[in-house]
Structures are given as structure tokens and as C-alpha cells.
Amino acid sequence: NRQGFPEIVYGEGKSAEQILTIVQSLRARNDSVLVTRISLEKAVIVQKNCPEFEYNEIARTLAWTEEKPKTNGYIAIVCAGTSDLSVAEEAAVTAETLGVNVRRIYDVGVAGLHRLLDNIEEIQNADVSVCVAGMEGALPSVLGGLITNPIIAVPTSVGYGANFNGLSALLSMLNSCASGVSVVNIDNGFGAAYNAVLIHRLAHKGEK
Amino acid sequence: NRQGFPEIVYGEGKSAEQILTIVQSLRARNDSVLVTRISLEKAVIVQKNCPEFEYNEIARTLAWTEEKPKTNGYIAIVCAGTSDLSVAEEAAVTAETLGVNVRRIYDVGVAGLHRLLDNIEEIQNADVSVCVAGMEGALPSVLGGLITNPIIAVPTSVGYGANFNGLSALLSMLNSCASGVSVVNIDNGFGAAYNAVLIHRLAHKGEK
Amino acid sequence: NRQGFPEIVYGEGKSAEQILTIVQSLRARNDSVLVTRISLEKAVIVQKNCPEFEYNEIARTLAWTEEKPKTNGYIAIVCAGTSDLSVAEEAAVTAETLGVNVRRIYDVGVAGLHRLLDNIEEIQNADVSVCVAGMEGALPSVLGGLITNPIIAVPTSVGYGANFNGLSALLSMLNSCASGVSVVNIDNGFGAAYNAVLIHRLAHKGEK
Amino acid sequence: NRQGFPEIVYGEGKSAEQILTIVQSLRARNDSVLVTRISLEKAVIVQKNCPEFEYNEIARTLAWTEEKPKTNGYIAIVCAGTSDLSVAEEAAVTAETLGVNVRRIYDVGVAGLHRLLDNIEEIQNADVSVCVAGMEGALPSVLGGLITNPIIAVPTSVGYGANFNGLSALLSMLNSCASGVSVVNIDNGFGAAYNAVLIHRLAHKGEK
Amino acid sequence: NRQGFPEIVYGEGKSAEQILTIVQSLRARNDSVLVTRISLEKAVIVQKNCPEFEYNEIARTLAWTEEKPKTNGYIAIVCAGTSDLSVAEEAAVTAETLGVNVRRIYDVGVAGLHRLLDNIEEIQNADVSVCVAGMEGALPSVLGGLITNPIIAVPTSVGYGANFNGLSALLSMLNSCASGVSVVNIDNGFGAAYNAVLIHRLAHKGEK
Amino acid sequence: NRQGFPEIVYGEGKSAEQILTIVQSLRARNDSVLVTRISLEKAVIVQKNCPEFEYNEIARTLAWTEEKPKTNGYIAIVCAGTSDLSVAEEAAVTAETLGVNVRRIYDVGVAGLHRLLDNIEEIQNADVSVCVAGMEGALPSVLGGLITNPIIAVPTSVGYGANFNGLSALLSMLNSCASGVSVVNIDNGFGAAYNAVLIHRLAHKGEK
Amino acid sequence: NRQGFPEIVYGEGKSAEQILTIVQSLRARNDSVLVTRISLEKAVIVQKNCPEFEYNEIARTLAWTEEKPKTNGYIAIVCAGTSDLSVAEEAAVTAETLGVNVRRIYDVGVAGLHRLLDNIEEIQNADVSVCVAGMEGALPSVLGGLITNPIIAVPTSVGYGANFNGLSALLSMLNSCASGVSVVNIDNGFGAAYNAVLIHRLAHKGEK
Amino acid sequence: NRQGFPEIVYGEGKSAEQILTIVQSLRARNDSVLVTRISLEKAVIVQKNCPEFEYNEIARTLAWTEEKPKTNGYIAIVCAGTSDLSVAEEAAVTAETLGVNVRRIYDVGVAGLHRLLDNIEEIQNADVSVCVAGMEGALPSVLGGLITNPIIAVPTSVGYGANFNGLSALLSMLNSCASGVSVVNIDNGFGAAYNAVLIHRLAHKGEK
Ligand SMILES: Nc1ncnc2c1ncn2[C@@H]1O[C@H](COP(=O)(O)O)[C@@H](O)[C@H]1O
Ligand SMILES: Nc1ncnc2c1ncn2[C@@H]1O[C@H](COP(=O)(O)O)[C@@H](O)[C@H]1O
Ligand SMILES: Nc1ncnc2c1ncn2[C@@H]1O[C@H](COP(=O)(O)O)[C@@H](O)[C@H]1O
Ligand SMILES: Nc1ncnc2c1ncn2[C@@H]1O[C@H](COP(=O)(O)O)[C@@H](O)[C@H]1O
Ligand SMILES: [Mg+2]
Ligand SMILES: [Mg+2]
Ligand SMILES: [Mg+2]
Ligand SMILES: [Mg+2]
Ligand SMILES: [Mg+2]
Ligand SMILES: [Mg+2]
Ligand SMILES: [Mg+2]
Ligand SMILES: [Mg+2]
């Protein structure tokens, strides 16, 4: 499997049957298995044969996670609005399935700054943050000025009009005037969490 | 002249001679005259015949402003970084030539939030704010969550790469999740100030 | 609540149940409540529990507005064609729920100039106008040359082909050669009205 | 030569020497010759050998036009602002060199509607109009609602920011809600005039 | 009605009931009535009350055309491929309803040049051509080199991938190296025909 | 060296000194050497030390080609207008330096179809064609319908306005309705010729 | 028929009845017939009358291929990921129907380089390769550095977010730093195979 | 100063005098000082007063770095082609000024895979890599499949035509099918290095 990590299946465009076949073969060889971008309907079919898998309706993930000892570090998943929840949860479930503790700091968008400031210590104490925002995508820039650890920014396609399906947030994040911010594809909660887990691993490589 | 206001000449693409001719004819009929987007070289030529005009090198404006009684309200010109100064000053000079007091709150970009918070009272007390920002254009969104008066946002073309000459900031501002923000063209400090002056006039229409 | 104003719920992407829960909690604390971007189906479900709410099918809004004394100023909602009605009505309902009088001047597109000219006095007498137009988005430019109060322009996504979902009207409005025009996101009738209400409040701040 | 018309040379990217060679060979075979997009420097060189050619500095054209009897119809060249003059003059010179009368109706942009209305009869009486506008490109839409003859719209690249080198005006014109408007490339005054001359010829085909 | 022409209703986004109401009121005042962009389902409902209206399933038009004497000139509707038929037929029905003869020269795309060459005389003899093409949109350029009358080019949204919903054909047509070509919006068969009818009218204005 | 071919140096952004160093080291190991995108100034400097190199001012190439036996097949370089010559010559010189015969069929743009038809036999008899065109980029589509061998299409950045630096021609070529056309980057005459040479080699692999 | 090849029908936008009519008329005149972009539902209807036709559900093709002697050369169809299979299969079926042997080298994306390297000899031995990839579209560039025969690259629309429906892969392929790569439209497996067959025919023109 | 790090000055758009003033004030308070995007001319002026500063002509940086003990970890700066050197060097100098060891692995573009494979161990042993590539931007995807540590990808604006000033490489990197890749703005070598230094610091936080 990839990099000593659980295998992750991209569910989009695969039938329930295809996913089931893949999942069953992976189950034999892996500790944990994660399917992303899978609908409830398909998940139910897979779960009939693999009842130990848990479906997260917001994240649209299906995961089987074997409990293992974790570091006491954590990744902060920071999220601007309720409409970005789906992407934030995809990130959170990914990190958890990959064996890392997660703290969810949700609904801290820049239009209500005090909520972000109230939670800033918990975010600063994370090894690395995943920062999810749609529309103007300003959250990573503000956060980048407040903390000193790396931030993986995820633009979301939430919005309408001149949002152009996430282009607006994507460009904002790439142009961030705060240092320490790097960016993944629009709606790619999975990819952001994967990056964060790699960084977390570096930060704790001596441990355990 | 338009709307009881001083005449404003758009200097771009006009020769010093053309500007001089226009300015001299306007001087006869108006109290104040403003030329925007005019280079130092052209300004010097005009000033030879019209020594009462003042050139602002950062704003690239040439103005002759007759002193008149002002309201005690003011417009806040809020600016993210030093590279946005030129647009902010175009706005400031425009508002002043149009007869309104201005307060400059510069260098309060979102990557250094405390400076913005330190100045928030002065911004809140303005009738209306002009908010200038390039790159990710996050400042109007943050400001919009902190104050309750209207904000005219001006994206600037400052930046490089995925900034696409100001597109990044423009889209951010149009997608602002904070209410009370409206937007003018990239680098259009003049237009933002003009809007702000119209709003200021409404706020003080009984006075004087 | 925000800025002494009624609370506004963005209905898009929320289930009827979620909206009902939010609305019921807001009802306790607020005078007026507005839900935007809500379908008839969802509205009917909410209305079963909250029969005092009124649904506007064109605006796709669900609102409960407590009657309060109003200023005798008003906002003009100016609209180019019949296909822009939905956005214009979102603006109108928003302003009304926020407690401001509205005058609807509809179907005054630039291809039939006389209708606009026939209504120009009523628009000029408004404190501020919301100007809604799709396709070539020329209406705010023409209007801006005829009146001297601020205009909040709303591009709509109405059109086809090189309209690119409202990009055409958006760019037109941002490039308006008339002064006094600022712009909000494509189809954002809510945001335009919110801005207009802030300006209206400034214009009448001594009153009542 | 093309369509019984004078030959037209596109000067851009050709050296003075290349242009001279072409022009001299055409002089032998044609009645009239027109070079477009030619700088003053190059024109002066050509004129040394061909002193009968006239250079138009605004249009950037070099033309030799043999006087011939004309119809008493005319083409109206309608132009929004002073910054669009160069394109409008390219159109005017093209039509004149092709042997058709032209009336220039300049500086009638939509932000000052009365000037357009004052000249509307002269435009209506033209067989066909060429309508040149930059920035928001609203003029052809307004004109299209006022007259009943065909309009060839020419977007110009004049403007800045969200103008995107004429894209804004181009999209506006393509989305015109007024019927009877067709469009040519950004800054293509020549092409618009050529179309207008073809239409003029149809309108007068029995004459002379 | 507009310009002495039949009234034309844009059916998109209007309900069958709305269309019926409009059509019935127009029937009283006009000779001919045309509805464009109307589905079969809606047309059938309208036809129940207005059985004299004819539905064209390819053009998606509903028309009632009073027979009137016509000129013996005609408009050529030239069309590249079978997939552009819908737009070509919208143009053809529009011109016919507006009282002008039409000749359909279909399936003459540039990849099979001989078919175009075989029909070139019939196209050349038209007063004006409407030229409909999708994908690479090359037909108007080729045609423009072969004939000497004006061409109204209509890009269509037919295609996939780098076609970007007609952008490809639109840009081609705007950049045509052949003179005498002007362009309307993507898929706007109606607008092209309207333009062509205006030109036809000029070409025959002495007649009848 | 690569694929048994002469080495090719991309001159853009390299100083004359850097190019000289590379060229001298390649001269030792190769039969032929080609530098593309090199200005006259730089070429002159290189030629001082390497007088056997020939500079092509239109192609902006510097080449030293050892004469070797050639196949009697050839590549046709087909070119729309005089302004595309630079790209066509880059292709021609590349193919020649790579040891393949070339026939230049220039100035056969689609607006003058007869010239293309007059030369069609020579193009058809080539193993493969490189087809260079700017603006609407229609030439490969027309050619593709007339011949049965592969065509490598090269869009050029020649044009203005809605040409968008070659985007127009690029999209046209990618959407070609004629089969047998593949495309390389805008202005990439080198790449097209390289492809054509690979195909030529396949067509003659038994020979020599 | 086209170029001595079987006729190919583009099924998109045609009804089952239209396809059946075309197919039956072609059956009379051709050896082989191919329909691309046809759904299972339509294919079943056609097959009722033409049971000798075979439907490929992944490629969405319906083909009747008469067995004929083939060369012993082959085309390599190289494919990055499982989600690009549909386009790869369209290419494979096209080449086979056109009478050329195909070898499928699937699932050799650049993120798992060893699989590509393991199969490189089989690809190198093909006369020409069709290389299908979505998302970052890197495969043709990597492959181009490893082999010395021509590569026809096909970008696919597979992906999300900043993929912009295949634009990402398309631009990558056009900018390939490896020589010998030319590009067809997004998802155009058919066009790529057609090109490859033309090249294959040249490479084997003496044979058989 | 920022995050316990040396201060970094963005030189673009600042005069030599402005830079000198800033640099002198920073020298008093900091250990190390870095100026990016500064031309040789400006650097020479600053160096007259601050002779301890070193100018890097390729990186266009001016730096004064106080020697401090370093960890024995390092950052790999991986670079595709010689034309990306400037951005790679900006990254390298930034990391070095921030006190971290750097290994330069240059000229390992995907078109010559063996050079990348020859150096893969040195890259794998870095804590984190900065991966710089222009044109098709494929390098981070290939690298991501070969190593298991985080990669910060930097697209460059090197290229022409459909490269669109780095858009091509940017989109490729955002769509990377390899996990562990995050992206910064086009040409932003500084930002990538800053991120890498933050990650390096986490990986060595116990040390020293
Ligand atoms: N910097 C500016 N940006 C946009 N519009 C401007 C600017 N300066 C002046 N204008 C507008 O341009 C008009 C004058 O244009 P002109 O007649 O060409 O000088 C003024 O009335 C303003 O409305
Ligand atoms: N139609 C609308 N368009 C844009 N923003 C809206 C709209 N309706 C409501 N909002 C904003 O969305 C906020 C509520 O979002 P939420 O908490 O998701 O319901 C409100 O405070 C408004 O600022
Ligand atoms: N297919 C069409 N495309 C563009 N404009 C159209 C079309 N059909 C009708 N129109 C225009 O739309 C106007 C009627 O719009 P409406 O009042 O909304 O029915 C007509 O006068 C035409 O100018
Ligand atoms: N005009 C050109 N356009 C694109 N690629 C080129 C061009 N000329 C040379 N090349 C490629 O650039 C490579 C050499 O690049 P370099 O090592 O930077 O000189 C050659 O092997 C060619 O593949
Ligand atoms: Mg930070
Ligand atoms: Mg606010
Ligand atoms: Mg006004
Ligand atoms: Mg009209
Ligand atoms: Mg012609
Ligand atoms: Mg062919
Ligand atoms: Mg190769
Ligand atoms: Mg990896």
C-alpha cells in the first residue's frame, strides 16, 4: 500500500459493485480502508457485505479504521461556514482514518472574527492546520497572520455568480499575503488532509 | 457640471496640451478641478500655466481645490498594503477635491490583524469607507464583519501570477460573505471615492 | 443580531427541517426574519409550523415582517426585463423586511428608452437605487447619467451564449462610464438591497 | 482586386519598405488604395515616394482616394467617448476611401444621453450605422432601441481593470437586447466600415 | 409594434400560460406573431387556443404568419452541419415570419468543400446570407472569400471539449480574415435573421 | 543525442555567450545543430566563432546542417498569410536541419480559396503536412477535407482583439470537424516539424 | 466514403431512428461501419435491425467490422487511470474498426511510474501511440521522453475543481516539453485513433 | 519580526532608496535580512551602504545571512529545466537565509526521466521538497509517486502560447494525481521555501 498508509479509494464514477470488489481485496491486505466521494446508496450496498464500515453522510466517506496508538499531536480542521462542512469533514475523516487526531474548529469565517480569535490557541497548538473556505476564501490569509505553523488551504466550490465554482476562493488562497499557506485543488479535502498527515508524521517521527 | 460637483478629467491617453486646454476651460467655470491618471511629466507642463494646481505623485493626480466649508463627517480610506497606496491616494485626493474630509487608515492588511483592530473605531465612525486591497482582497470581508456602515471595495492589480492583474481580488470582493460591501472596477480609486462622496452627501444632506 | 437588523437566512443547500429549526429560534429573538433562496416545497413545510410567514414565489423568499414605523424615504428597485424579475424581487423583499419602503420600477430596459425616461423622476427622488439587469447590463450606465444618487448595480445570469452566466453584465457594470455605480455579485439581489438599506439609514439617521 | 473595391493593406507588422512596394504596385492597378494600422514614421517614408497619399494621425491610416461620384446616402459613424476616436476614424476613413459619404456623430456616450438624443435623427437617416464604444459597450444597445436600420457594433479595447482589453464591451454587444445589432472584432473599425459599405451598396444598387 | 415588423416573443423562461396571454393580445394588434425558444409541450397548449399557429420542432418556434406580397430577393441561410440545424431553422422561420423569402443551403461545412462550391451561385445571388456554424466556425471565413454580399455569422454551441459551449466558433468568426462578416451571439439564429431582414429591406426599399 | 536526431537548442532567454558555449560543445558531437528563437544580434555573435552557421531572419533560427542523403519524400509546409511566415519558416528550417525535404506552400489562406485549390496536388503528395494559420485558424479544417494524409496544425498568435494571442486559432484547430488533424502549441513551428519528421521517418523506414 | 476508410457516424444528438437509417444505408456501401457516442438504449434499438453490430459499453461505440488482413504493426493505446478508460476504448475500437491492430496499455499513470517503465518496450515498438490522460495530463510528456515514435495525446475531462472539464490536461499536453507529441480535442478518442491510423498506413504503405 | 524568522522584504515596486531605508532599520533588529525581486541596479545602490549583503543574480535576491548552527536535515530544491532556475534559486536563497540547509537537484525534468531517477534518493532523504516546473508542470506528479515526504510545488511562468503565463503548470499541479503535493502561486519560490522551512522546523523541533 501507499507510503505505509491505509489505502484510499476514490468513489466517484465507480459503481457500488466495483467499490465492493476493491474494498474486499483491500480489507485482506490493509489495516484501514477509506472510500471518498461515495453516495449513501452505494455505501449501503457495500455495508451489507462489510458491516464494520462506517458511513459519514456529510463527508460522503465510507471508512473502516483499525484503532492504533496515536501521537498526542493533532491536526486542526478549520472551516469558514456551514456550507463548507462537507469538504471539512472529508478532510477530518481522512486524517482520522490515517491514524491522526483531529480537532474540528468550524464556523469561524472572517465575517465573524471574534469566533476565530476565541479559538486561535487551539489552532496554534496543532502541528498543522487544514483551512477550508469558499466564496472569497479569506480565512487562510487571516489565519496565516495569527499562527506560525503550516496551513493547507482548501478552496470550496460553494457560492454562486462570480464565484465561478470555486475559482474565486482558489485565486484568493494562491495570492495569500500571509506566509505559510499552500493550496490544494477546489473541494479536495482528502488531499489537504493527506498533506497534513505527512507533515504531522515528520513532526512526530521520533515518537512512539 | 455634473451633479453640482467639480469636473474630473481622465488623464490617461491625453497629451499634456490636451489636458491643459481642458483644464483652462474648466477653471473658468468650476470651483475645483481634478485630473486623474496623469504622469509627473505632463503635470509639470500643465503647472507651468496653472501654478495653483497641486500634483500628488503617489495618486498621480493634479488638482486645484477651492477651500469650502466641510461637514464634520468623514470618509475612511482603508488600505491593505504599501503597494496599494497609489489607488488609495487616488481615492483620497478625489474625495478631498470633492469637498469631503478624509481619514487615511493605511497598512492594515489582514495578515497583521491587530493593526486593523487597533484602528477599527476610527473606521466605524466614518459615514462610509473606501477599502482598497490587492492580491487575495480579503480586507473588505473582514472589515464588513466589524463595522456597520457601507463599504466601497476597490480591488487593485497589485500582485503576480494567479493574481491575473487584479482578477483575484475582484472576485474575492464580489463574493464577500460580509454584507454591506459593494465593488468598483480594479484600480478605480476615483470611482470608489465618488460613490462614497454621494453617500456622505446623503448622510449630511440636512446640514450646513 | 447583526447591525440592529432582522436576521437573514441563506436557504440554499439547507433542508426544510434545518430552516425550520433556525427560523423558530430566530423568531424568539428577532422582530423580523427573512429566508432567501428557498423553494416553494421547503417554504410550505416551514409555513405549517410558522403560518405567519409569507412566501414570495418570484423572489423565492420566506419572510415574517413585523410592522414598524418607516421613514418616508424609499429605495427604487429598477429592473431591465421581465426575466430579471426574480432578482429584483429578492432585493425588494429584502429591503421591505429590513423596514424600508420600496418603489418598483420594472421593465425599463435600455432597448426601450422612453419607459425609463418616463419614470426617471421617481427614481431620482429615491435615496438610493438598486438597478438589476442581465445580458449587456447597460441599464446602470444609462441610469447613472440621468440621476445623482448612488446606484447599486446587480448583474443577473439571465441570457445565453456569450453571456457566460452573467459575466457579460457583471463586466459591463464594473466598467460603467457613469460615476456613482457600485456592483454586487451576479444575482445577489439580497446584497444590493442590504447595501441600499445601509445607505438609506445614513440618509435618515436624524429622523424618527 | 477584392469585390470591385479599392485594395486595403494591413500595415501592422510590415516594414515601411514592404508597404511602399505593395502600395506602388497597387497604385498601378487600382483607383484608390488604403493602408491601415500604419505609424506616422512609416507613413512619412511611404509619402516621400507617394506624395499624393494622405496620412490620418488619429486613424493611423494612409490613403489615396480618387474622387468618384457618390450616392447621396451616407453611413453614420457613432462614437461613445473621446478615447474611442482612433477606431471611429479608422472606420470613417475606410468608408470614405471605399467611396461612401460618412457623417461623424462623436462623443455621444450613454452617460450623457441627451447628446445622443439630440443627434438621433441624423443617425436614423443613415442607411446603416457603425457604432464604436469601449468600457461597458452600452451604446449599440441604446441606439438599437432608437433607430430601425442595421448597426455594426465595434467594441474597443479602451479601459482598464475588468475591461480585459475590450472583452467587456465585446460581450455587451454580443448580448445586446436590442435587435439589429451585429458585431465585429475588438478595435476593428476597418471591418465594421467594410460591412457598412457592403450594406450601403445594396441600399443604392439601382442608383448612379 | 417595433419597426413595422411582427412582434417576436422570447419563449425561454415563460410558462405556456404566460405565452398564451401574450400571443392572444398580440394577435389582436399584429399581422404576424412569432414565439422563439418554445418547447413542444408549451406549443401544444398554446395551439389549443390558437390553432392557426404552426410549430417547427427543429427551430423550436411557434409562428402565425399572414401571407403578404414579398420581394423577389431572398436571404440565404447557410449551415455547416446537421447539428447546427436547430439554429439555422430558427433563423429561417424568423425571416419567413418577417415576410422575406429564404433559401436553405444546408450541410455545406468546410470539411466537404465541393458541396459549398456547388451551391455558391445561389448564395452569391442572395442579398445577404446568414451563415451558421459550430465547432471551428470556419464556414463564414471561407464563404466570405467567395461572395461579395454581407454575411451575418452565427456561432453555435454544438461541440464538446475545447469548444467551450460555442466560444471556439465565436472567436473564429470574430477573427475572420475575410471582409464582410459580422457576428451575433452564440445560437442566436433569431438575431441574425433579424439583421438580415433589415438589410434585405434596404436592398429593396424602392420596390413593391 | 535524442532519437538519432541533431540537437536543438531553445534560444529564448539564453545569452549569446550561453548559446555559443552550448553550440560549440554540440558541434563536436553532432552532425547538425539548430538554435531556435534566437535574435539577429545574438546570432551575429555566435557566427563570429562559428561562421559555418546560417541565420534565417524570418524563422529566427541559427543552423548548421551537414548535407546527408535524403528520401525523395517531403513535408509540405502550408501557411495561411504573410504574417504567419515566421512560424512557417521555423517549421521549414527545423525539418530541413533534421534532414527532410520541404516544400513551402505559402499564402494559401481560406479567404482566397482558389490559391489553395491550385496547390492541392503538391500538398496531397506530401507524406505529411504542417499547416500554419492565425486569426480564425480555418486552414487545417479546409485542408483536412481535401487531403488524406496527416496534418499537424500550428496556431499562431497573429491577430488582435478577440484573437487573445492565438487562443482563437488554437480552439478552432482543436475543434476541427475534419479528421486527420492534430495540434501543437501556439507558434510552435519547431514542434510541428519535429512531429512531421517522425512521421516522415516512419513512412520511409525501409528506404535508403 | 472518407479516404478509403469505413464510414464513421457521430451518434451524439441523433435519435436511434436517425442512426438506424444512416447505418442501414452505409451497410450497403461499406465494409465496416462505426457509430461513436451512442448510448446503450439507442444501440439496442439499432441492433434489433442490425444484429451483426457489436456494442462496446465502455467506449459507447456500435461497430460492424469486416475481418480483413492486417499489417503486423500496431498502435499502442496508453492510458493513465481507470477513469480515462472510456476515451481510451473509443480510440481502440476506432482503430480496430479501421482495420489496424491495437495493444492496450492501461493504468500506467505517472504517479506509479514503474508500471509505465515495465511496459515501455511494447509501447516503443508500436508505430505510433495514442496517449490518454486526464487531471494533470502528464503522461504524454513522460512517455515522449522515453520513446521515439509519434504520440497523439488525448486530454480527458475527468477530474473536478481546477480541472475545468479537461482544460488542465489540454494545456499540459500542448505545453509538453517532450518533442513528438501532438494533441486532439478533450475526450476525442476517435480523432486520436484516426490520426494514428493515417500514420500507421504511411508506415506500412509498401506492405500487403 | 515574523515567527522568529529573519525579516523578508518584497523588492518589486520599491525604489533603491526605499529598500535601503528598510534594510538599514531591519539590520539593527534582526539577525538576517532578505530582499526578493530586486534588480542588479538597485542592489548595487544598497550594497554601497551595506557591503555585507550578497546579491544573487539568478534569484534576484539581496541577502545578509548571519551564520547560525543548522540542523542536519535539509530541503531539496528540485527543478525541471534551466529556464526555471530563477524561481528555484529564489527558493534556495530564501531557505538558506532562514537558516536551513538546501540541496539543489536541478535539470531533472520529466522529458529526461533517468536524471530524476538517478537523484531520487537524495530527494527522498530531504524532510520536504520544493518542486519547481513550468510548461506542463508534470514534475511534482511524477515526484509525488516516487517519494513519501511532502512536496511544495511551484508553477513557473516560463513558456509561451497555451502556457498562458504559468496557468498551464498551475492547473497541472493543482490536479496532481499524486498525493502529498500542495501548491503556491506562480513563480512564488519565496513562498514555497517559507512553507518548507516551517515544515522542516516541525521535523526538527526537539533538536539543537
Ligand atoms: N481614474 C478614473 N477612473 C475611471 N473614470 C474616471 C477616472 N477619472 C475620471 N474618470 C471619469 O472620466 C470622466 C472624464 O472623462 P474625460 O472626458 O475623458 O476626461 C469623468 O467625469 C469621470 O467620470
Ligand atoms: N441570497 C443571498 N445571497 C448572498 N448572501 C445571502 C443571501 N441570503 C442571505 N445571505 C447571507 O447569508 C447569511 C446567513 O448565512 P447562513 O448562516 O448560512 O444562513 C446572512 O447573514 C446573509 O449575510
Ligand atoms: N431567440 C431569441 N434570441 C434572442 N432574442 C430574442 C429571441 N427571440 C426573441 N428575442 C427578442 O426578445 C424580445 C422579446 O422579449 P420578451 O418581451 O421577453 O418576449 C423580442 O422583441 C426580440 O428582440
Ligand atoms: N521553438 C521551440 N519551441 C518549443 N520547444 C523547443 C523549441 N526549440 C527547441 N525546443 C525544445 O527545447 C529543447 C532544448 O531546450 P534547452 O535545453 O533549454 O535548449 C529541445 O530539445 C527541444 O525539444
Ligand atoms: Mg503564519
Ligand atoms: Mg458590516
Ligand atoms: Mg449619476
Ligand atoms: Mg433598432
Ligand atoms: Mg466577401
Ligand atoms: Mg483529411
Ligand atoms: Mg519522444
Ligand atoms: Mg508521494
Side-chain angles (χ1 to χ4, degrees), chain F residues 195 198-199 202, chain G residues 127-130 147-152 180-181 199:
Chain F
N195 267 282
L198 293 189
I199 295 171
L202 283 170
Chain G
D127 295 303
V128 50
S129 298
V130 168
I147 69 171
T148 57
N149 278 331
I151 296 168
I152 315 290
V181 176
I199 294 170

Side-chain angles (χ1 to χ4, degrees), chain A residues 202, chain H residues 72-76 103 119-129 147 149 204:
Chain A
L202 282 170
Chain H
N72 50 24
Y74 62 89
I75 296 170
R103 303 244 186 122
N119 290 278
I120 201 66
E121 209 173 342
E122 188 170 16
I123 306 176
Q124 170 62 41
N125 289 336
D127 295 303
V128 50
S129 299
I147 69 170
N149 278 330
H204 295 270

Side-chain angles (χ1 to χ4, degrees), chain B residues 2 8-10 14 36-37 90 188 190, chain C residues 177 179, chain D residues 82 160:
Chain B
R2 195 174 32 175
I8 295 151
V9 180
Y10 181 59
K14 300 206 175 79
T36 66
R37 311 268 164 128
E90 186 183 273
N188 193 2
F190 156 74
Chain C
C177 56
S179 304
Chain D
T82 53
Y160 61 87

